[in-house]
Amino acid sequence: MEATNILPILKKRLAFLSGGKDRRSGLILTIPLCTEQTSMEELSSTLDYLLGIPSDKCKARGFTVIVDGRKSQWNIVKTVVLMLQNVIPAEVSLVCVVKPDEFWDKKVTHFCFWKEKDRLGFEVILVSANKLTRYIEPCQLTDEFGGSLVYDHMDWLNKRLVFEKFTKESTSLLDELVVINESEKSNQLDKERPPDSNFLPSLDPETVLQTGHELLSELQQRRFNGSEGGGVAWSPMDDELLAQPQVMKLLDSLREQYTKYQEVCRQRSKRSQLEEIQTKVMQVVNWLEGPGTEQLRTQWGIGDSIRASQALQQKHEEMESQHSEWFAVYVELNQQIAALLSAGDEEDLVELKGLQQQLSDVCYRQASQLESRQNVLQSAHEFHGTAQDLSQQLDGLLGMLCADVAPTDGAAIQQTLKHLEEKLKSVEGSLAGLREKGQVVMDQMSNQTTWSYGKDVPIENKENIDHIQGVMEDMQLRKQRCEDMVDVRRLKMLQMVQLFKCEEDASQAVEWLGELLDALLKTHIRLGDDAQETKALLEKHKKFVDVAQSTYDYGRQLLQATVVLCQSLRCTTRSSGDTLPRLNRVWKQFTVTSEERVHRLEMACSFHTAAEKVLVQASPEQGDLPVEVEQETYEEVETVGKALLDRLTVPVIFPDGSEQYFGSPGDMASSAVHIRDKMKLVEDRKLTLHEEDEDEEDVEQLQYDQIHDQNKELQEDEELQDDQELQEVDKELQDGEELELETNTQKS
């Protein structure tokens, strides 16, 4: 019985072999009864199928049947137990009926089983789920009975289907392979008998072998249930339930017959390949030595232009395309011959090597001639292309040389001259490349040969060589004419560049002079804080004027050179334009401004000199008495200072009537304040000197009175001192007389 026949019934899981074993190593058969009505016919079919799986040796140990009646009625349980007597009476050792929590009538059930014990032939016990471990180890029970054994019914069923499919397919395939191999053996003995090449196996041997190996691997690893967790996972298809030798034996037989079949296929393929190779080799050789050689012999021109060479290249590509098809056949044939040679069959080696050598010689010779022809055409195409480009370059250069040169500016003329030089250099490079490519074409054509009647025959290419040499000579003459015209144009352009350069530099000189004028008016505004600084500013201004004078002279020289160049180039329409008037106008403005600057500095120098003279002479240093300052010096300071202040308020008047002030009003105000401060300092010094003269007379009278008083006090002090001395002398005399009188008294 096959699982596919009762697959819907097996999916219901009416009974199953979980892989667990009792303490006697007997298999455990589980019958899980449900609340629904169980079909005894389907259960019987399921048991028949399951009991056909284990080996006889395994069946001899007996089965322990677990009837799970927790969700069923007692009459159904009783029917199942009685049915076991008819299905597997000899194999059942023990029947464990798992009772529900609300148990049936104990007296009735006990009486029934006790009454039927001898007739059943096996022991039946009633046990609750938690006490089932008294008879079976927990590791041999599934989780529904509180055990740790992992069992997946659908996974087991799928693997069982795989096993049965492999057994069926492998057996059928073995029969077919045996028939094929025996038939081929008979054909080898009778060589005149045509082989039956259409007889092929109905199944793919590789697929069947792969399925068998995967199945065997599952069995050997004891992971048929798909368990990946920890602990021992018992499989119902291990070496006790399903004989592994059966799978291994099928695999060994299948491999043996498949190896023979592969050898049969190889021999068939080899014979077919050899015959096919011989036919194709002759086809390739006949075409290459016939139509292919004739095509090459009639195509040897190179054309007289790039368009003609392109047309020849297109024809050659068409010819190469035809040859490529045959060369592809050659490559394929060569690979096939090499594969057959590597097989090492001595009877075919000589024939295969001969075919290979003949095919290689013809193909290599034809490919060499095609490549030579392709190289000549490619070189000719490059030569004609270079010649065409060179001709266009010479035409463009000649057009530039024949066109008039319209003067615009120096940069444009310089760019035109540079462009002209680049074009001439490009022409020289292209001509050198043309000579090089022409020589390559001639060398290739001189070595060109064709294969005719088994011999190499040289080809006459005199017409092609003469054409190439003529093209190169014509290009050389055209290039020489252009070089002569370039020399003349170069000289004229250089003069024009010099002309525009002079005009540009003259305009630059005007700008520089304007910048100097602007700097003179805006930054040269200081008059100095003293005479020494003012003199330094005068010297600096002279150098500044010298720079401006040099700039003006440089601009005049450039404008004169411009006139000379215009006459040389016959450029009557060009002149100095407004550059010369602008140069003269700016120079006149600079001159007027410079003179005004010098006049102001000179006035400032005179003012500072007079003021310093007053301040120095009127200020005694190191105890010297002040020198008397003349009245004219004071008047000079005042006069020059006022004149300078008035000058600062007057603008610079240019020849054209326009006016311009030095610096900003704030700068002029700062200078005026400094001058006024110095004038006030001189005036203060003058008043101070006058007051000092009056103070000196008072000081002299005071000194006289002080001296008189001091003399009078000294005289009084002397008189008082004399009186004191006389008194002291009198006292000493009196004391002496008293001492003497006392002495005399003591003596008496």
Side-chain angles (χ1 to χ4, degrees):
M1 183 183 297
E2 295 182 359
T4 53
N5 298 333
I6 58 170
L7 185 59
I9 298 175
L10 292 177
K11 287 183 178 180
K12 293 181 179 181
R13 197 170 175 260
L14 299 177
F16 60 87
L17 290 170
S18 64
K21 297 179 182 180
D22 57 20
R23 291 187 173 90
R24 297 175 296 98
S25 297
L27 295 178
I28 297 175
L29 175 64
T30 304
I31 302 176
L33 299 177
C34 57
T35 56
E36 299 178 359
Q37 186 67 28
T38 302
S39 173
M40 293 299 117
E41 183 179 355
E42 292 180 352
L43 178 59
S44 178
S45 300
T46 303
L47 293 175
D48 289 341
Y49 177 77
L50 293 177
L51 293 175
I53 295 176
S55 62
D56 294 337
K57 182 179 178 181
C58 185
K59 292 179 182 179
R61 298 193 189 103
F63 289 90
T64 294
V65 181
I66 300 177
V67 179
D68 189 359
R70 289 176 293 178
K71 297 180 181 180
S72 183
Q73 299 176 359
W74 163 244
N75 56 349
I76 297 176
V77 174
K78 180 179 178 181
T79 303
V80 171
V81 173
L82 294 176
M83 185 183 65
L84 292 176
Q85 181 186 15
N86 299 324
V87 178
I88 48 174
E91 288 84 359
V92 176
S93 300
L94 175 66
V95 176
C96 295
V97 178
V98 181
K99 60 185 179 179
D101 294 336
E102 296 179 359
F103 193 47
W104 310 291
D105 189 351
K106 183 175 181 182
K107 295 182 179 180
V108 176
T109 54
H110 179 73
F111 174 77
C112 291
F113 284 125
W114 173 80
K115 182 179 179 181
E116 301 293 336
K117 180 176 181 181
D118 295 333
R119 187 170 60 86
L120 290 174
F122 48 79
E123 183 181 1
V124 180
I125 61 173
L126 295 175
V127 63
S128 58
N130 56 358
K131 295 181 180 181
L132 193 60
T133 54
R134 295 179 180 179
Y135 307 95
I136 303 172
E137 296 294 336
C139 63
Q140 303 299 322
L141 292 173
T142 57
D143 57 352
E144 56 192 318
F145 300 115
S148 60
L149 180 64
V150 179
Y151 173 75
D152 186 346
H153 184 70
M154 293 308 298
D155 183 67
W156 170 85
L157 183 57
N158 292 333
K159 295 300 185 295
R160 183 64 187 175
L161 291 172
V162 171
F163 166 73
E164 292 182 354
K165 180 182 178 183
F166 166 72
T167 305
K168 182 178 179 180
E169 290 180 351
S170 60
T171 304
S172 175
L173 181 60
L174 275 174
D175 295 338
E176 293 178 358
L177 292 178
V178 169
V179 173
I180 294 173
N181 295 336
E182 292 296 330
S183 176
E184 182 64 22
K185 186 176 180 181
S186 301
N187 292 335
Q188 290 179 358
L189 296 176
D190 187 4
K191 295 184 179 181
E192 295 180 357
R193 179 181 176 183
D196 188 5
S197 58
N198 296 325
F199 190 19
L200 299 175
S202 59
L203 298 173
D204 181 19
E206 292 287 347
T207 304
V208 177
L209 284 171
Q210 180 67 24
T211 304
H213 285 302
E214 292 176 356
L215 179 60
L216 183 60
S217 178
E218 291 281 350
L219 295 175
Q220 291 175 344
Q221 294 177 6
R222 301 176 64 85
R223 292 168 57 183
F224 191 85
N225 281 335
S227 173
E228 301 292 341
V232 180
W234 292 90
S235 170
M237 292 188 67
D238 57 10
D239 56 349
E240 293 181 334
L241 298 181
L242 178 65
Q244 292 184 18
Q246 182 181 356
V247 179
M248 297 175 65
K249 182 178 180 181
L250 285 172
L251 286 174
D252 293 340
S253 301
L254 192 57
R255 279 193 293 266
E256 179 182 359
Q257 293 300 325
Y258 182 53
T259 303
K260 294 180 180 179
Y261 173 72
Q262 287 178 322
E263 180 64 22
V264 168
C265 293
R266 192 184 69 81
Q267 293 296 334
R268 288 180 182 178
S269 176
K270 182 179 176 182
R271 287 196 303 269
S272 177
Q273 284 182 352
L274 185 58
E275 294 173 357
E276 185 180 357
I277 286 172
Q278 290 174 343
T279 303
K280 290 184 178 180
V281 165
M282 295 312 300
Q283 289 177 352
V284 174
V285 171
N286 292 336
W287 190 90
L288 292 178
E289 290 183 345
T293 302
E294 184 64 22
Q295 289 179 358
L296 280 172
R297 191 176 63 82
T298 57
Q299 298 290 331
W300 295 112
I302 62 170
D304 56 357
S305 64
I306 188 171
R307 181 175 298 178
S309 64
Q310 287 176 346
L312 290 174
Q313 277 189 323
Q314 185 175 0
K315 290 182 180 179
H316 185 75
E317 288 175 358
E318 294 175 357
M319 185 169 57
E320 278 187 335
S321 178
Q322 295 179 6
H323 280 76
S324 296
E325 296 177 359
W326 293 100
F327 287 153
V329 177
Y330 157 69
V331 172
E332 183 181 356
L333 289 174
N334 197 33
Q335 292 176 351
Q336 293 176 1
I337 293 173
L340 293 176
L341 289 174
S342 63
D345 292 339
E346 296 181 359
E347 58 182 9
D348 300 328
L349 286 179
V350 177
E351 183 179 0
L352 287 172
K353 287 183 178 180
L355 289 172
Q356 188 180 40
Q357 186 64 39
Q358 180 185 8
L359 185 62
S360 298
D361 292 343
V362 174
C363 289
Y364 281 134
R365 182 173 61 248
Q366 198 76 358
S368 176
Q369 292 182 4
L370 282 172
E371 183 180 6
S372 176
R373 173 62 177 166
Q374 175 63 28
N375 292 338
V376 170
L377 289 176
Q378 182 64 31
S379 300
H381 182 268
E382 294 177 358
F383 173 79
H384 290 309
T386 305
Q388 181 175 326
D389 293 342
L390 179 58
S391 179
Q392 293 175 355
Q393 291 178 7
L394 289 171
D395 292 341
L397 182 59
L398 185 61
M400 288 183 61
L401 295 172
C402 294
D404 293 334
V405 180
T408 54
D409 54 55
I413 294 297
Q414 192 73 26
Q415 185 67 25
T416 303
L417 181 59
K418 181 180 178 181
H419 187 51
L420 192 64
E421 295 288 351
E422 290 176 351
K423 275 189 168 295
L424 182 59
K425 187 176 180 180
S426 177
V427 167
E428 293 175 353
S430 298
L431 183 59
L434 182 67
R435 293 195 188 99
E436 181 180 353
K437 288 181 172 59
Q439 188 62 43
V440 170
V441 176
M442 290 188 291
D443 292 343
Q444 289 177 345
M445 288 190 298
S446 63
N447 297 327
Q448 200 172 15
T449 60
T450 184
W451 180 262
S452 178
Y453 301 105
K455 296 181 180 179
D456 289 333
V457 180
I459 300 174
E460 292 294 333
N461 288 303
K462 185 176 183 304
E463 182 179 352
N464 295 332
I465 294 175
D466 292 342
H467 169 70
I468 292 173
Q469 291 176 344
V471 171
M472 291 191 295
E473 291 173 359
D474 178 62
M475 294 298 173
Q476 177 63 35
L477 292 175
R478 291 178 62 186
K479 182 250 182 185
Q480 187 62 45
R481 288 195 297 269
C482 288
E483 279 185 343
D484 297 338
M485 296 179 68
V486 166
D487 292 338
V488 177
R489 179 57 60 89
R490 184 187 295 111
L491 179 60
K492 184 176 181 179
M493 284 187 171
L494 289 175
Q495 289 180 342
M496 293 186 70
V497 169
Q498 189 175 4
L499 170 63
F500 286 113
K501 182 63 176 175
C502 290
E503 292 179 349
E504 182 181 353
D505 291 348
S507 299
Q508 184 66 47
V510 175
E511 293 180 6
W512 288 344
L513 198 58
E515 292 175 357
L516 292 174
L517 174 61
D518 190 59
L520 179 61
L521 287 169
K522 293 182 179 180
T523 61
H524 293 214
I525 55 178
R526 282 183 53 79
L527 298 177
D529 296 335
D530 51 37
Q532 184 178 359
E533 184 179 357
T534 304
K535 291 178 182 178
L537 290 173
L538 274 171
E539 291 297 327
K540 183 178 179 181
H541 180 71
K542 290 179 181 179
K543 295 179 181 179
F544 186 76
V545 172
D546 292 340
V547 173
Q549 182 69 48
S550 301
T551 304
Y552 172 71
D553 295 341
Y554 176 64
R556 294 279 300 182
Q557 293 173 3
L558 291 173
L559 291 175
Q560 291 175 0
T562 301
V563 175
V564 174
L565 287 172
C566 285
Q567 293 175 354
S568 175
L569 292 171
R570 299 178 183 178
C571 237
T572 56
T573 58
R574 296 189 64 84
S575 63
S576 59
D578 63 341
T579 307
L580 182 59
R582 289 193 300 115
L583 180 64
N584 291 331
R585 182 172 64 254
V586 175
W587 176 245
K588 288 178 182 179
Q589 293 176 352
F590 184 86
T591 303
V592 173
T593 307
S594 176
E595 291 175 354
E596 176 64 21
R597 172 67 174 166
V598 171
H599 188 63
R600 292 187 181 189
L601 288 174
E602 289 177 349
M603 290 180 66
C605 185
S606 299
F607 170 76
H608 287 306
T609 301
E612 290 172 359
K613 182 177 180 181
V614 171
L615 296 175
V616 171
Q617 292 179 354
S619 300
E621 296 179 358
Q622 298 179 358
D624 296 335
L625 294 176
V627 181
E628 185 178 358
V629 180
E630 297 179 358
Q631 184 65 27
E632 296 177 354
T633 304
Y634 290 111
E635 294 176 355
E636 181 181 359
V637 170
E638 184 177 1
T639 302
V640 175
K642 290 181 178 180
L644 183 57
L645 290 173
D646 294 338
R647 195 84 182 190
L648 292 176
T649 61
V650 177
V652 180
I653 302 176
F654 296 138
D656 58 358
S658 59
E659 298 179 353
Q660 184 71 38
Y661 286 91
F662 276 96
S664 63
D667 297 332
M668 293 298 99
S670 177
S671 300
V673 169
H674 179 69
I675 294 171
R676 291 191 185 95
D677 291 343
K678 203 158 191 177
M679 291 175 65
K680 187 174 183 304
L681 185 62
V682 171
E683 183 66 23
D684 293 342
R685 180 63 65 183
K686 178 180 178 182
L687 294 175
T688 302
L689 291 176
H690 179 70
E691 291 176 355
E692 288 178 355
D693 291 340
E694 293 179 354
D695 292 340
E696 286 179 359
E697 294 178 359
D698 295 338
V699 169
E700 290 177 357
Q701 182 63 35
L702 180 61
Q703 289 178 352
Y704 177 78
D705 294 339
Q706 290 177 351
I707 293 172
H708 181 268
D709 293 339
Q710 290 177 357
N711 292 333
K712 186 177 180 180
E713 290 177 357
L714 289 173
Q715 185 176 2
E716 291 177 355
D717 290 338
E718 289 177 356
E719 290 177 357
L720 180 59
Q721 186 175 4
D722 291 339
D723 292 340
Q724 290 177 352
E725 290 178 353
L726 290 176
Q727 289 177 2
E728 290 177 357
V729 170
D730 291 339
K731 186 178 180 180
E732 289 177 356
L733 291 175
Q734 187 177 357
D735 292 337
E737 289 177 358
E738 290 178 357
L739 180 61
E740 184 179 359
L741 181 59
E742 183 178 356
T743 304
N744 292 330
T745 302
Q746 291 176 356
K747 288 181 178 182
S748 299

